[in-house]
């Protein structure tokens, strides 16, 4: 899951040759702007057939690949 | 609590922070009308200097065109100075409706509504026509006023990489379950001077049943064979659902903006857009001026043709001088310097040579992409451009950037 999410974030948001790690700060690090979190949330929901409530989809919860994995696991049955 | 010393200190600190970060903006006082030749006081208190302006949005040289000035005088005499009311109470004159109809015809749309500015048009339009069941999919480089409008709207928001049609298509697929999808772009992008792929975007919007929104502020009046805008150049007139544009650039340069497009969407703005409902519209003399501008531009393409020739001359001249410019064919021509300090130094040296052009750097443009943005006008004569090229060659030589690659400039000056 980590690798899938990392690849998605790289393809979607990284426009130069920055290498992401699972802990790179995405939102606080300015890689994903809070506007664009929407597509990340939708990607995760479609990919893992889950529904993440809006109040759980916070900039903090989306701030690294590892944090996103924690969030997603909460909703995957 | 009053405005006490602690509060004052807090703001002083923030402002000093901006200064030390090199982000503090300073105005330059112009003592003449806006034109190719202007008289500038900079810094404040300095002697007035005659310079050639190559950084105005005065694309068609209309800002002090004698016929436009005369028409504004006549409008002032016949319709007064102001309306002291918003449109729907007692702030609409015959000339407001006349101008709306003329814009509709000029842009080839169904209807038009005026706004106090294009900033206001962009701030009000999304909220007026979309709801939380909809999605807005915007290019990542759209103008700040569009971003503000998007923020004010409850619809979901997503972005696509700048001018990347594959990415846009993915986003249209991703959001296919929404009631309405609206694709949002600038026609000509103001920082890079590149043009949206409106033909491909219109096709994608048709395929995925999406609405198409274009901000034509930097195209209306001169892009396309008869100057109608990017939609004319891309062969998609009549296919754009919403166009916003300004009267503060090519179309006269004073102020005002509009939303033009499908008549139901325009009517939604008349019923619901807050900057239209709660702010006075364009003042009568300005309306009379814009009407004259549209008459002039509809009668002849001379001005946009001259702008096209000037632009070709300018782009070719800069390339021959050995400078790096962003590719394109619009009158927005960024001279790339990459380093913020270098951009500021070159701007200052150009000013000493009698050329007024401004450096842009982070956060206005991405880090490492500092530049001097030059903007060409039909108000320029070839002798203006020759003098400006001469100055660029001289200043470029001083900083040893002529004929250098991006890599070489970055190695020498840093990003
Ligand atoms: C693309 C774009 N849209 C809108 C605006 C705002 O125009 P106005 O001055 O009419 O508010 C600008 C002006 O900077 C612009 O560049």
């Amino acid at each position: 899951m980590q690798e899938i999410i990392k690849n998605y974030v790289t393809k979607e948001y990284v426009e130069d040759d920055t290498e992401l790690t699972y802990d790179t700060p995405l939102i606080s690090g300015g890689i994903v702007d809070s506007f664009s979190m929407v597509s990340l949330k939708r990607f995760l929901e479609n990919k893992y057939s889950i529904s993440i409530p809006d109040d759980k989809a916070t900039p903090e919860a989306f701030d690294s690949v590892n944090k996103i994995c924690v969030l997603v696991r909460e909703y995957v049955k | 609590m009053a405005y006490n010393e602690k509060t004052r200190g807090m703001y002083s600190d923030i402002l000093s922070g901006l200064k030390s970060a090199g982000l503090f903006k300073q105005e330059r006082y112009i003592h003449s009308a806006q034109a190719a030749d202007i008289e500038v006081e900079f810094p404040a208190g300095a002697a007035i200097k005659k310079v050639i302006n190559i950084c105005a949005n005065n694309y068609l040289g209309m800002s002090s065109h004698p016929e436009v000035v005369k028409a504004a005088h006549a409008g002032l005499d016949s319709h007064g100075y102001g309306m002291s009311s918003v449109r729907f109470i007692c702030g609409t004159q015959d000339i407001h409706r006349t101008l709306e109809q003329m814009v509709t015809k000029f842009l080839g749309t169904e209807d038009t509504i005026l706004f106090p500015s294009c900033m206001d048009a962009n701030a009000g339009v999304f909220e007026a026509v979309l709801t939380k069941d909809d999605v807005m999919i915007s290019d990542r480089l759209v103008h700040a006023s569009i971003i503000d409008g998007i923020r004010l709207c409850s619809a979901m928001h997503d972005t696509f990489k700048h001018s990347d049609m594959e990415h846009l298509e993915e986003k249209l697929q991703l959001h296919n379950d929404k009631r309405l999808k609206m694709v949002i772009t600038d026609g000509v992008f103001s920082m890079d001077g590149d043009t949206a792929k409106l033909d491909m975007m219109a096709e994608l919007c048709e395929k995925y049943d999406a609405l198409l929104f274009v901000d034509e502020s930097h195209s209306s009046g001169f892009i396309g064979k008869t100057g109608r805008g990017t939609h004319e150049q891309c062969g998609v007139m009549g296919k754009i659902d919403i166009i916003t544009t300004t009267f503060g650039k090519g179309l006269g340069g004073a102020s005002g903006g509009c939303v033009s497009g499908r008549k139901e969407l325009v009517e939604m703005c008349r019923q619901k857009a807050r900057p239209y409902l709660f702010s006075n519209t364009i003042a009568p003399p300005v309306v009379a001026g814009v009407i004259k501008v549209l008459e002039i531009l509809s009668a002849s393409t001379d001005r946009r043709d001259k702008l096209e020739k000037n632009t070709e001359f300018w782009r070719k001249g800069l390339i021959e001088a050995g400078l790096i410019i962003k590719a394109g064919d619009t009158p927005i021509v960024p001279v790339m310097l990459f380093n913020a300090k270098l951009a500021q130094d070159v701007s200052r040296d150009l000013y000493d040579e009698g050329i007024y052009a401004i450096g842009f750097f982070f956060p206005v443009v991405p880090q490492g992409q500092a530049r001097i943005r030059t903007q060409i006008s039909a108000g320029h004569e070839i002798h203006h451009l020759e003098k400006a090229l001469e100055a660029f060659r001289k200043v470029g030589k001083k900083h040893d950037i002529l004929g250098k690659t991006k890599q070489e400039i970055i190695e020498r000056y840093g990003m």
Side-chain angles (χ1 to χ4, degrees):
Chain A
M1 185 190 288
Q2 281 169 318
E3 203 50 30
I4 290 173
I5 294 175
K6 191 181 100 172
N7 286 342
Y8 176 80
V9 171
T10 304
K11 177 171 144 294
E12 176 71 23
Y13 301 110
V14 180
E15 299 201 22
D16 51 25
D17 36 42
T18 310
E19 279 284 330
L20 293 185
T21 69
Y22 297 148
D23 291 313
T24 308
L26 298 177
I27 303 210
S28 57
I31 291 170
V32 179
D33 69 57
S34 49
F35 264 169
S36 310
M37 262 173 54
V38 167
S39 48
L40 184 51
K41 177 169 179 285
R42 292 214 110 195
F43 165 78
L44 298 169
E45 291 179 332
N46 289 350
K47 179 93 195 162
Y48 298 104
S49 310
I50 55 176
S51 165
I52 306 172
D54 281 341
D55 62 337
K56 298 286 178 202
T58 60
E60 294 75 38
F62 274 71
D63 208 26
S64 70
V65 171
N66 276 338
K67 287 181 184 162
I68 294 170
C69 290
V70 172
L71 181 74
V72 170
R73 288 206 183 90
E74 270 182 50
Y75 296 94
V76 185
K77 292 189 187 73
Chain B
M1 189 190 77
Y3 191 69
N4 61 24
E5 284 311 306
K6 194 170 149 220
T7 311
R8 190 184 295 280
M10 180 189 89
Y11 284 111
S12 302
D13 289 348
I14 296 173
L15 292 168
S16 324
L18 288 178
K19 276 185 194 149
S20 52
L23 300 176
F24 196 79
K25 290 169 211 63
Q26 245 168 331
E27 293 174 346
R28 305 179 183 210
Y29 305 131
I30 297 174
H31 289 247
S32 53
Q34 184 63 279
D37 296 293
I38 54 172
E39 296 172 12
V40 182
E41 172 194 340
F42 184 75
I48 290 172
K49 189 173 160 80
K50 288 193 171 159
V51 293
I52 295 171
N53 192 356
I54 52 167
C55 60
N57 302 311
N58 186 18
Y59 298 113
L60 293 164
M62 288 297 187
S63 300
S64 43
H65 188 291
E67 278 185 55
V68 177
V69 174
K70 196 166 135 209
H73 273 295
L76 187 58
D77 290 337
S78 62
H79 285 73
Y81 171 66
M83 291 307 294
S84 306
S85 169
V86 298
R87 284 286 292 269
F88 76 96
I89 298 179
C90 55
T92 302
Q93 290 172 317
D94 56 342
I95 50 173
H96 291 109
R97 193 57 196 154
T98 302
L99 176 55
E100 287 176 341
Q101 285 163 344
M102 286 179 79
V103 171
T104 302
K105 184 150 178 260
F106 190 78
L107 297 178
T109 54
E110 296 175 8
D111 199 2
T112 300
I113 174 175
L114 302 180
F115 279 78
S117 68
C118 187
M119 169 93 205
D120 283 323
N122 288 338
V125 61
F126 302 110
E127 187 187 32
V129 304
L130 299 176
T131 71
K132 64 175 176 23
D133 300 327
D134 309 321
V135 64
M136 306 172 279
I137 308 175
S138 64
D139 187 286
R140 286 189 184 160
L141 291 190
V142 292
H143 188 256
S145 56
I146 294 179
I147 309 260
D148 284 6
I150 286 172
R151 285 201 173 113
L152 290 168
C153 176
S154 62
M156 179 182 273
H157 176 224
D158 200 353
T159 58
F160 61 96
K161 292 180 191 170
H162 178 52
S163 276
D164 184 333
M165 293 300 109
E166 267 175 47
H167 199 217
L168 171 59
E169 182 158 18
E170 282 171 29
K171 292 303 173 85
L172 285 164
Q173 289 163 349
L174 178 69
H175 299 296
N176 220 356
D177 56 334
K178 291 287 177 183
R179 185 189 69 151
L180 290 172
K181 300 180 285 297
M182 186 183 286
V183 174
I184 300 169
T185 184
D186 290 7
V188 168
F189 289 85
S190 56
M191 281 302 146
D192 289 356
D194 59 330
T195 307
K197 298 168 185 154
L198 282 191
D199 43 350
M200 295 165 82
M201 296 176 93
E203 215 170 280
L204 282 174
C205 285
E206 226 150 89
K207 181 168 169 194
Y208 291 96
D209 224 358
L211 300 173
L212 184 50
F213 169 106
V214 186
D215 180 333
E216 286 279 277
S217 290
H218 290 275
S219 1
S220 292
F222 52 95
I223 300 290
K225 270 209 157 28
T226 63
R228 306 309 157 104
T230 320
H231 59 321
E232 180 184 27
Q233 176 159 301
C234 295
V236 289
M237 279 186 81
K239 292 193 178 171
I240 312 295
D241 303 299
I242 300 179
I243 292 174
T244 60
T245 193
T246 182
F247 307 122
K249 303 189 196 296
L251 299 179
S255 70
C258 66
V259 169
S260 191
R262 304 296 175 200
K263 60 182 192 289
E264 296 78 14
L265 301 181
V266 169
E267 194 55 43
M268 287 297 282
C269 288
R270 236 178 261 284
Q271 302 307 317
K272 294 184 66 181
R274 296 170 69 84
Y276 166 86
L277 293 174
F278 301 118
S279 184
N280 281 9
T281 193
I282 312 170
V286 175
V287 174
V290 183
I291 287 175
K292 178 53 75 178
V293 168
L294 289 178
E295 278 173 11
I296 295 172
L297 299 183
S298 304
S300 147
T301 59
D302 286 356
R303 294 195 138 304
R304 59 97 35 220
D305 296 345
K306 182 174 173 198
L307 175 59
E308 193 168 69
K309 286 211 181 69
N310 281 352
T311 300
E312 265 173 47
F313 178 84
W314 181 246
R315 284 183 175 270
K316 190 160 161 269
L318 288 172
I319 292 170
E320 282 171 4
L323 290 153
I324 303 174
I325 62 173
K326 287 252 178 191
D329 56 4
T330 72
I332 301 175
V333 188
V335 178
M336 299 306 294
L337 298 167
F338 312 105
N339 174 278
K341 173 146 194 315
L342 179 62
Q344 284 165 290
D345 291 347
V346 168
S347 167
R348 187 203 55 226
D349 292 345
L350 286 171
Y351 188 75
D352 289 343
E353 298 297 322
I355 305 301
Y356 186 174
I358 296 290
F360 287 85
F361 39 90
F362 185 79
V364 178
V365 295
Q367 198 96 45
Q369 289 200 34
R371 64 194 67 184
I372 304 265
R373 181 179 68 171
T374 63
Q375 290 168 287
I376 297 312
S377 168
H380 288 131
E381 301 301 333
I382 291 298
H383 70 83
H384 291 117
L385 302 179
E386 276 170 347
K387 181 157 183 241
L389 282 174
E390 182 58 43
F392 262 103
R393 280 192 291 264
K394 185 167 169 193
V395 173
K397 195 165 170 203
K398 173 178 165 188
H399 293 278
D400 193 23
I401 51 173
L402 300 181
K404 296 286 191 282
T405 62
K406 173 179 177 181
Q407 210 47 46
E408 286 166 334
I409 295 176
I410 289 172
E411 264 163 34
R412 166 126 188 228
Y413 290 96
M415 289 268 272

